[in-house]
């Protein structure tokens, strides 16, 4: 009942139809008054006023945490892939994006700063972005430094100010293209599994980097479709969304192939069988993906890593490095073809140029992720802000404290 009361209050404060303001509780402001009082949140406030329906679905006894992008964050939209949606006033995408900024549960900034990354469900449940149980998650990661935090409390939870808009997870297809995981993508095309992998809910997918396929050469490129299917299915764990905190030393998981994989820890590295986890916790619409440095072999589940060496050797007999990238010719050449390096280098105002820019933003995000385990959808953030109390990232955006 409390929920109903404060959404009513919200609606009133936002100038909506509901006249009942008696429910105003205690001395805490309602969300509308709080946002109106923050000079850095005026753009977000107008957006919420424009899409008040978001607030009518606010849940729960436990309140919510609203990650409110500051005005500067909106200035960056033209440089992000949200540009088209905002320029065209695409109501569906904007609503999804706003929902992705609302976390279940009322959390102070201190509670958002964990020792290990935590993944908090959001209100976003549109299956195009969130075919997972309980809504798309946002990862938050502790940055270095001591923290003194100021929470903006309202009568339904907390508002936390962030410096960039969060971008909801893209689907598997889009994500592997962004991360240039083209051999894996081609192998999924070749076996006609791409749509299945992209739409199977609650999945964990281990994706070997291109070099892993190249190192195998004909040992994988010459497989029959059935053999290749069996290998690929050994990289998908259905019905379990496993982030790195779930990948504990010695744990085993059953794959779509039926065989089990084993997680091993050596020093600070995690291994899946003997393949090292490289870029972890990349959020996708139907779960999470992690990149690895080797193709997993269901015929050799007991392969052990050698943590003393930087990269693990192939686990397929007769591996022989190829000069080309296996399976990439199976990727149909459409508008989503990877942009050539020439185009990448010169971002222009053409459609291709936009794609190239996006690729470069994504790849810089990749670089960040590999060192910090940040969500793969993490976006470039303002580097000039470093140091002024920016101590934590939520889904790639920096919390302003
Ligand atoms: C508010 O915006 C001003 C100007 O961009 C900036 O200097 C200040 O740090 C911002 N404050 C917060 C809390 O975001
Ligand atoms: C998988 O995700 C869907 C939401 O897309 C959810 O309804 C379902 O319960 C989940 N299944 C499992 C086994 O977790
Ligand atoms: C993608 O991978 C290919 C082959 O490894 C490489 O030539 C190309 O430069 C990469 N592109 C990006 C944007 O990383
Ligand atoms: C993945 O997302 C892209 C971009 O939104 C979309 O064009 C494509 O149809 C989606 N793929 C699947 C299998 O849903
Ligand atoms: C979500 O998962 C269901 C299976 O539960 C699948 O049929 C559907 O295509 C998926 N939706 C998207 C947008 O991927
Ligand atoms: C993907 O393929 C598997 C195995 O063929 C099947 O059980 C599953 O229902 C498919 N999932 C979707 C979403 O099509
Ligand atoms: C792999 O297949 C190619 C093309 O069919 C063939 O030329 C090559 O000899 C095969 N290599 C091996 C190691 O079987
Ligand atoms: C992953 O770990 C979290 C936190 O311990 C737990 O709540 C969740 O159930 C785990 N997920 C799976 C699929 O085991
Ligand atoms: C992981 O488990 C193995 C086997 O029990 C053990 O030898 C190893 O020391 C463990 N690694 C870490 C980092 O605890």
């Amino acid at each position: 009942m409390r929920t109903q009361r404060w959404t009513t209050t919200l609606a009133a404060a936002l100038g909506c139809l509901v006249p009942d303001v008696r429910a105003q509780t205690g001395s805490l402001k309602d969300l509308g008054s709080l946002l109106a009082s923050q000079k850095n949140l005026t753009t977000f406030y107008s957006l919420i006023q424009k899409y008040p329906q978001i607030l009518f679905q606010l849940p729960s006894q436990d309140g919510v945490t609203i990650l409110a992008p500051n005005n500067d964050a909106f200035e960056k939209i033209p440089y992000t892939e949200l540009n088209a949606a905002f320029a065209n006033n695409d109501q569906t995408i904007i609503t999804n994006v706003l929902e992705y900024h609302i976390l279940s549960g009322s959390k102070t900034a201190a509670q958002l700063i964990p020792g290990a990354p935590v993944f908090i469900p959001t209100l976003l449940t549109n299956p195009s972005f969130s075919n997972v149980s309980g809504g798309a998650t946002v990862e938050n990661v502790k940055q270095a430094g001591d923290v003194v935090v100021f929470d903006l409390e309202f009568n339904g939870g907390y508002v936390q100010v962030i410096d960039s808009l969060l971008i909801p997870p893209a689907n598997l297809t889009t994500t592997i293209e962004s991360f240039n995981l083209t051999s894996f993508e081609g192998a999924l095309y070749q076996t006609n599994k791409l749509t299945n992998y992209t739409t199977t809910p609650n999945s964990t997918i281990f994706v070997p980097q291109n070099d892993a396929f190249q190192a195998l050469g004909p040992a994988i490129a010459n497989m029959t479709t059935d053999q290749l299917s069996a290998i690929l299915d050994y990289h998908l764990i259905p019905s379990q969304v496993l982030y790195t905190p779930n990948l504990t030393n010695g744990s085993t998981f059953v794959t779509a192939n039926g065989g089990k994989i084993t997680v091993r820890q050596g020093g600070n590295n995690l291994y899946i069988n003997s393949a090292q986890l490289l870029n972890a916790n990349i959020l996708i619409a139907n779960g999470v993906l992690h990149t690895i440095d080797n193709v997993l072999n269901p015929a050799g589940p007991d392969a052990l890593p050698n943590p003393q060496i930087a990269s693990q050797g192939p686990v397929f007999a007769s591996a022989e490095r190829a000069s080309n990238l296996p399976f990439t010719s199976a990727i149909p050449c459409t508008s989503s073809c990877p942009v050539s390096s020439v185009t990448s280098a010169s971002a222009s105002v053409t459609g291709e140029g936009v794609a190239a820019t996006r690729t470069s933003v994504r790849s810089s995000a990749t670089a960040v992720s590999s060192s910090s385990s940040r969500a793969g959808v993490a976006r470039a953030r303002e580097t000039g802000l470093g140091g002024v109390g920016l101590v934590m990232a939520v889904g790639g955006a920096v919390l302003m404290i």
Side-chain angles (χ1 to χ4, degrees), residues 96 124-132 169-171 198-199 201 284-287:
N96 287 324
L124 176 57
T125 54
N126 176 331
S128 292
F129 303 100
S130 166
N131 223 354
V132 290
N171 67 27
T198 301
T199 58
I284 52 177
N286 64 326

Side-chain angles (χ1 to χ4, degrees), residues 8-22:
T8 303
T9 311
L10 278 174
L14 290 166
C16 300
L17 311 171
V18 189
D20 181 9
V21 287
R22 283 169 304 164

Side-chain angles (χ1 to χ4, degrees), residues 128-129 170-175 177 194-199 358:
S128 292
F129 303 100
N171 67 27
L172 174 73
T173 307
T174 306
T175 305
E177 283 171 3
L194 186 65
T195 302
N196 181 282
Y197 277 39
T198 301
T199 58
R358 196 188 65 175

Side-chain angles (χ1 to χ4, degrees), residues 307-324:
Q308 308 309 321
I309 58 174
S311 68
Q312 306 298 315
V315 289
F316 287 78
S318 65
E320 190 187 325
R321 177 167 288 276
S323 56
N324 63 332

Side-chain angles (χ1 to χ4, degrees), residues 183-228:
S183 266
F184 185 75
E185 183 186 14
L188 288 175
Y189 270 112
Q190 181 135 329
T191 52
N192 204 17
K193 284 177 174 289
L194 186 65
T195 302
N196 181 282
Y197 277 39
T198 301
T199 58
T200 298
N202 314 328
S203 299
T204 303
I205 305 174
F206 295 102
V207 180
Q209 62 181 358
N210 278 350
D211 187 69
F213 286 93
Q214 195 165 3
L216 296 182
I220 193 162
N222 283 13
M223 282 181 176
T224 66
T225 301
D226 283 352
Q227 289 168 331
L228 181 58

Side-chain angles (χ1 to χ4, degrees), residues 261-274:
I261 51 129
T262 304
V263 178
R264 299 192 172 92
Q265 188 178 355
N268 289 325
N269 294 331
L270 280 177
Y271 301 86
I272 305 303
N273 296 345
S274 69

